[in-house]
Amino acid sequence: MKISECPVNKLGVSAAQKLIDRVVAEARKGRLKKRNLVWLEATGCSGNIISLLNGSNPDFRYFIRDMVNLVYNNSLMASEGEAAFEHLVRVSTADFILAVEGAVATKDKGLYNVIGNWKGKPVTAIDAVRWLGERAAHVIAVGACATHGGPSAAKPNPSQSVSVQSVLKRKVIKLPGCPCHPDWFLGTLAHLLLYGQPLLDEFDRPLMFYGTLIHDLCPRRSFFEKGIFAEKLGEKTCMFKLGCRGPVTRVDCPVRQWNDYVNWPIGDDTPCIGCAQFGFPDAMEPFISYDIT
Amino acid sequence: MNGFELIRGQTNNLLIEINGYINCLHLTPCPYTRNMLLTLLRQKISFLSFLNNLQYSLGVRQPDILPQQTFTVEQLSKYDGKNGQPAYIAVNGLVYDVTNSAAWAAATHFGLSAGRDLTREFLNCHQEQQQILNSLPVIGRLVQ
Ligand code: SF4
């Protein structure tokens, strides 16, 4: 049986879509009010919003037309400068869900990351995350930097970046990944809209996406058990000896896959680098090793 | 490798897997995945009982409580998992083999490398998780 035919895999891949369909159906029947969403970009590369734009089940248009009112995102919105910031100020007293991508730079009172200006004064990411984070109905940290510091907080961490949770005293739902898969975010958001907070593990990751280790569902697992290991990149066997982080990374890449569900790193003969594990990238290095016993 | 070592290796692997599946069972909300995990667990348990019977039929005895080999910190540092050397680590005075432990890909684990006494690090992250150590083969003792 091909992995794509497995009923467990099918269920996993369509889970986000099913939740989102439900959101739209409920909204059309007038049973669900569209809620405001603020997407803040803090200290990072904006890769998570780019990843979201690549979503296919559903696509991004569906997301902003049928699921939420996307009130603020500095990469995508038409307004700019203080006019854009005004949207933030207005929504801060209403009901809204906050998504943050990027870590929070703390050095020199956060001046390493200024995300906008208000009344002529610079607003730092740390100010914005605290201000909105305390007022939001839910806070979702999207991607490695927001959930645990990620590449922004990698050694030597010149901006002294930290996770969103470190500056907020409240529950922050965490979606690690570098970047976060569109389904992980949209599925979590759909669950929030329909039923409230999804089931989370002890690190506040939604179990529906972060429930199993990559190693547990890896199609190369039988090679691991038999001790047949790849010695260089490009071989079709288990990449444990090259430094694969699948055994310590808890997420559903083997069944969900990326870029419209076509492939994923191990499927393309490169080891998992543990981008969805806390501590990435420093704790997941070296990404590749050749002289291993 | 003699029969006993082979059986011990296999048993250890099975225990690691069984632990892993039980962890997954706790975590997964999906009924299909749970069924799959239960099936896998049953398979592993029947393999365990097979190994158990095999051990008796071969007449292999349990090893003396602990291997007698000793390592100084310096000797331990040679076993870093590179260039043909196995990967050993020490925790609480015992030396364990992590060469084929899944969480130790390329003889590294969350930024730590093999060949060192990792007692402090183990207690920091896995306090009260002795079962992790139980699943690793013991190689010897660490001495001053
Ligand atoms: S390739 Fe990686 S995830 Fe797959 S079986 Fe090997 S070690 Fe596990």
Side-chain angles (χ1 to χ4, degrees):
Chain A
M1 183 165 77
K2 277 188 13 211
I3 194 151
S4 57
E5 289 162 10
C6 162
V8 179
N9 293 353
K10 277 196 192 144
L11 200 83
V13 171
S14 59
Q17 177 68 60
K18 280 204 183 117
L19 281 168
I20 289 150
D21 285 346
R22 187 86 204 272
V23 169
V24 175
E26 295 287 300
R28 291 218 173 113
K29 285 186 206 139
R31 285 208 289 251
L32 200 73
K33 229 180 83 215
K34 265 213 231 175
R35 291 176 80 176
N36 296 318
L37 177 78
V38 171
W39 181 295
L40 273 189
E41 289 177 33
T43 320
C45 68
S46 305
N48 293 289
I49 193 76
I50 303 297
S51 172
L52 184 62
L53 287 175
N54 191 42
S56 60
N57 236 350
D59 65 12
F60 185 75
R61 234 185 25 199
Y62 194 97
F63 158 66
I64 48 169
R65 202 187 46 206
D66 296 313
M67 276 180 80
V68 289
N69 300 316
L70 183 59
V71 181
Y72 182 91
N73 172 271
N74 65 298
S75 292
L76 303 176
M77 65 199 302
S79 7
E80 53 179 311
E82 297 221 353
F85 219 80
E86 223 176 284
H87 291 284
L88 266 190
V89 175
R90 224 178 300 132
V91 82
S92 69
T93 53
D95 168 60
F96 70 100
I97 295 171
L98 176 70
V100 185
E101 74 165 303
V104 184
T106 60
K107 194 173 180 191
D108 296 340
K109 296 199 179 119
L111 268 179
Y112 281 61
N113 188 0
V114 172
I115 65 155
N117 288 296
W118 182 239
K119 299 201 167 136
K121 286 215 182 85
V123 180
T124 60
I126 188 169
D127 289 340
V129 169
R130 279 198 180 128
W131 166 50
L132 294 164
E134 277 155 19
R135 288 168 176 76
H138 301 278
V139 180
I140 315 176
V142 189
C145 295
T147 46
H148 54 90
S152 299
K155 276 185 215 126
N157 193 0
S159 58
Q160 288 169 7
S161 286
V162 297
S163 67
V164 169
Q165 181 74 78
S166 322
V167 300
L168 284 180
K169 283 194 202 69
R170 62 168 296 166
K171 173 75 85 190
V172 175
I173 299 175
K174 301 185 182 69
L175 307 178
C178 195
C180 176
H181 195 294
D183 287 4
W184 304 337
F185 174 73
L186 292 173
T188 304
L189 183 66
H191 199 288
L192 277 179
L193 298 172
L194 284 170
Y195 317 112
Q197 184 177 293
L199 221 55
L200 306 176
D201 68 5
E202 74 261 45
F203 300 109
D204 299 328
R205 298 172 292 190
L207 280 173
M208 58 182 163
F209 301 116
Y210 295 86
T212 42
L213 287 172
I214 286 190
H215 187 64
D216 287 330
L217 292 174
C218 180
R220 301 193 180 191
R221 178 67 184 259
S222 51
F223 290 110
F224 177 86
E225 300 303 333
K226 296 264 178 287
I228 303 171
F229 299 121
E231 284 170 14
K232 53 184 184 315
L233 293 178
E235 289 177 22
K236 301 280 176 206
T237 51
C238 169
M239 290 174 282
F240 170 68
K241 295 287 175 186
L242 295 173
C244 180
R245 301 297 174 200
V248 293
T249 305
R250 203 169 274 289
V251 80
D252 62 5
C253 293
V255 295
R256 187 166 303 284
Q257 312 206 4
W258 288 78
N259 300 333
D260 297 358
Y261 318 112
V262 292
N263 208 348
W264 66 304
I266 290 177
D268 203 25
D269 304 334
T270 62
C272 164
I273 59 171
C275 80
Q277 177 53 270
F278 292 92
F280 171 85
D282 288 352
M284 295 295 120
E285 284 174 1
F287 291 161
I288 184 90
S289 301
Y290 288 111
D291 51 357
I292 291 304
T293 308
Chain B
M1 202 185 276
N2 65 28
F4 171 71
E5 279 173 42
L6 207 67
I7 292 175
R8 189 178 67 167
Q10 295 272 351
T11 314
N12 272 329
N13 282 344
L14 278 172
L15 291 175
I16 297 170
E17 283 178 63
I18 287 176
N19 260 324
Y21 290 137
I22 291 174
N23 289 343
C24 294
L25 261 182
H26 281 301
L27 289 172
T28 177
C30 161
Y32 297 97
T33 317
R34 284 175 157 265
N35 282 344
M36 180 187 76
L37 289 167
L38 287 171
T39 314
L40 288 170
L41 271 173
R42 264 182 222 113
Q43 281 173 2
K44 300 294 163 194
I45 288 169
S46 73
F47 193 22
L48 255 185
S49 84
F50 163 74
L51 285 179
N52 195 27
N53 292 336
L54 187 69
Q55 183 163 324
Y56 282 109
S57 62
L58 285 179
V60 280
R61 293 203 340 267
Q62 292 294 322
D64 297 327
I65 311 297
L66 284 178
Q68 289 308 305
Q69 204 177 348
T70 57
F71 296 80
T72 62
V73 172
E74 202 195 328
Q75 285 164 338
L76 180 65
S77 69
K78 288 193 206 108
Y79 299 98
D80 59 358
K82 297 197 178 116
N83 302 315
Q85 294 291 348
Y88 294 166
I89 56 160
V91 178
N92 292 333
L94 288 184
V95 176
Y96 298 90
D97 185 352
V98 293
T99 316
N100 288 317
S101 163
W104 277 84
T108 51
H109 175 78
F110 287 88
L112 304 171
S113 19
R116 293 180 42 215
D117 182 358
L118 298 175
T119 305
R120 199 159 37 93
E121 289 82 350
F122 184 85
L123 290 178
N124 267 340
C125 302
H126 304 300
Q127 211 171 12
E128 292 170 25
Q129 288 180 288
Q130 177 67 28
Q131 80 273 16
I132 297 179
L133 294 173
N134 292 349
S135 63
L136 298 170
V138 180
I139 297 297
R141 283 176 295 124
L142 191 67
V143 291
Q144 290 300 319

